[in-house]
Amino acid sequence: AMAERQDGFCLREVLAAFRACLTAEQTVLMDPYLRGWNGLIRFLNSLGTIFSFVSKDAVTKIQIMEKYRSSDQRERYETLQSMVEYELANGLVGLKNQGECPESGCRAILRLHRALHWLQMFLEGLRTSQEDSKTSVICTNSYNASLANYHPWVIRKAATLAFRALPTRNAFLENMNLGTPEEAVDMLGEALPYVCKVYEITEELYAKHKMLDLP
Ligand code: 1PZ
């Protein structure tokens, strides 16, 4: 048995949360989705203040959603599907420009959704890499193949600079608190399909409503 780390962080809870998002009806439950994200932010913060600019932005998006989930409209935001239906029907999405609906839930989730694509590729890269691989290289490659396409130059620059501070592959895997690097790799192999499924369902939902490019 491994000792709980001081901050109690364990990636297992994050992966379990993304698994718990999925319902039999192929909808995505908001609360476990946000719980998964809050866990990721804790993990990101454990990597050092160099990633504060990343976690701050993600937290802003998470908080928009948490506010809806504790408002009178909470039932409208129970699943990603009910949110999309409700915001579209009531003109709350902000389809034309960014200032239109700054608190759009659809917009906030789209940003997190794009980041989930990066996460999926990054963790898969980590899982399948050689022991002596560089985390920073895996991270840069997955970023360039995904999220970077939505970021202006200055953010891409800041992000790739910060990636250089990432620990070695094995130290990174140990930081996940899933046991030895080998055990962490097994756990990722088991759990990543659920993250992928959440990503796929969201992607399909947004594509169906032509919302993959929300400003
Ligand atoms: C393990 C190392 C972690 C590195 C994190 C990799 C992602 C780098 C992303 C850097 C972007 C942060 C700055 C904010 C950018 C925002 O402009 C965009 C668009 O939002 P808008 O301006 O339209 O409101 N925000 C995003 O793209 C959301 C980024 C969330 C990143 C969350 C990363 C989670 C990390 C988990 C670590 C295991």
Side-chain angles (χ1 to χ4, degrees), residues 30 64-65 67-69 71-95 101 103-106 205-206 209 211:
M30 190 69 76
I64 289 175
M65 301 317 304
K67 207 177 79 186
Y68 287 133
R69 281 300 290 152
S71 74
D72 292 344
Q73 301 301 326
R74 67 178 71 86
E75 272 136 58
R76 310 286 200 171
Y77 289 86
E78 196 175 345
T79 66
L80 295 194
Q81 286 75 8
S82 63
M83 169 190 76
V84 167
E85 192 183 329
Y86 169 68
E87 289 198 343
L88 274 176
N90 292 278
L92 299 170
V93 175
L95 295 163
C101 301
E103 304 262 274
S104 156
C106 288
L205 176 69
Y206 272 67
H209 294 285
M211 297 204 304

Side-chain angles (χ1 to χ4, degrees), residues 47-119:
L47 296 173
T49 51
I50 195 163
F51 291 107
S52 306
F53 77 107
V54 181
S55 60
K56 251 191 215 151
D57 183 75
V59 165
T60 305
K61 271 86 178 165
I62 295 165
Q63 282 173 348
I64 289 175
M65 301 317 304
E66 287 177 340
K67 207 177 79 186
Y68 287 133
R69 281 300 290 152
S70 52
S71 74
D72 292 344
Q73 301 301 326
R74 67 178 71 86
E75 272 136 58
R76 310 286 200 171
Y77 289 86
E78 196 175 345
T79 66
L80 295 194
Q81 286 75 8
S82 63
M83 169 190 76
V84 167
E85 192 183 329
Y86 169 68
E87 289 198 343
L88 274 176
N90 292 278
L92 299 170
V93 175
L95 295 163
K96 293 198 195 81
N97 59 67
Q98 191 166 336
E100 204 182 335
C101 301
E103 304 262 274
S104 156
C106 288
R107 179 179 189 282
I109 291 290
L110 179 61
R111 269 54 184 175
L112 296 177
H113 168 68
R114 288 170 177 167
L116 208 58
H117 193 214
W118 162 80
L119 181 78

Side-chain angles (χ1 to χ4, degrees), residues 14-214:
V14 172
L15 297 168
F18 282 110
R19 182 177 185 157
C21 286
L22 295 161
T23 71
E25 295 76 37
Q26 301 285 295
T27 58
V28 177
L29 294 169
M30 190 69 76
D31 292 343
Y33 188 89
L34 298 175
R35 196 162 67 237
W37 267 103
N38 277 317
L40 286 173
I41 299 309
R42 279 168 67 201
F43 181 65
L44 187 61
N45 288 338
S46 79
L47 296 173
T49 51
I50 195 163
F51 291 107
S52 306
F53 77 107
V54 181
S55 60
K56 251 191 215 151
D57 183 75
V59 165
T60 305
K61 271 86 178 165
I62 295 165
Q63 282 173 348
I64 289 175
M65 301 317 304
E66 287 177 340
K67 207 177 79 186
Y68 287 133
R69 281 300 290 152
S70 52
S71 74
D72 292 344
Q73 301 301 326
R74 67 178 71 86
E75 272 136 58
R76 310 286 200 171
Y77 289 86
E78 196 175 345
T79 66
L80 295 194
Q81 286 75 8
S82 63
M83 169 190 76
V84 167
E85 192 183 329
Y86 169 68
E87 289 198 343
L88 274 176
N90 292 278
L92 299 170
V93 175
L95 295 163
K96 293 198 195 81
N97 59 67
Q98 191 166 336
E100 204 182 335
C101 301
E103 304 262 274
S104 156
C106 288
R107 179 179 189 282
I109 291 290
L110 179 61
R111 269 54 184 175
L112 296 177
H113 168 68
R114 288 170 177 167
L116 208 58
H117 193 214
W118 162 80
L119 181 78
Q120 192 184 300
M121 287 198 282
F122 171 63
L123 292 179
E124 184 62 18
L126 204 63
R127 184 180 86 80
T128 54
S129 62
Q130 304 290 322
E131 234 182 277
D132 58 355
S133 306
K134 284 202 153 125
T135 316
S136 58
V137 173
I138 300 169
C139 189
T140 305
N141 290 344
S142 44
Y143 175 72
N144 285 341
S146 60
L147 256 187
N149 296 307
Y150 303 101
H151 290 161
W153 183 86
V154 60
I155 291 192
R156 292 203 304 267
K157 194 74 198 165
T160 37
L161 270 176
F163 296 159
R164 293 203 216 159
L166 288 170
T168 62
R169 175 189 186 267
N170 280 1
F172 194 91
L173 286 169
E174 273 162 10
N175 208 28
M176 289 176 172
N177 211 15
L178 292 175
T180 64
E182 293 74 24
E183 288 167 333
V185 161
D186 287 347
M187 176 74 198
L188 286 175
E190 207 179 292
L192 270 177
Y194 298 102
V195 178
C196 294
K197 190 73 192 158
V198 170
Y199 178 83
E200 276 168 29
I201 294 177
T202 312
E203 181 77 8
E204 224 170 272
L205 176 69
Y206 272 67
K208 186 170 110 192
H209 294 285
K210 304 207 172 7
M211 297 204 304
L212 285 168
D213 297 306
L214 291 183

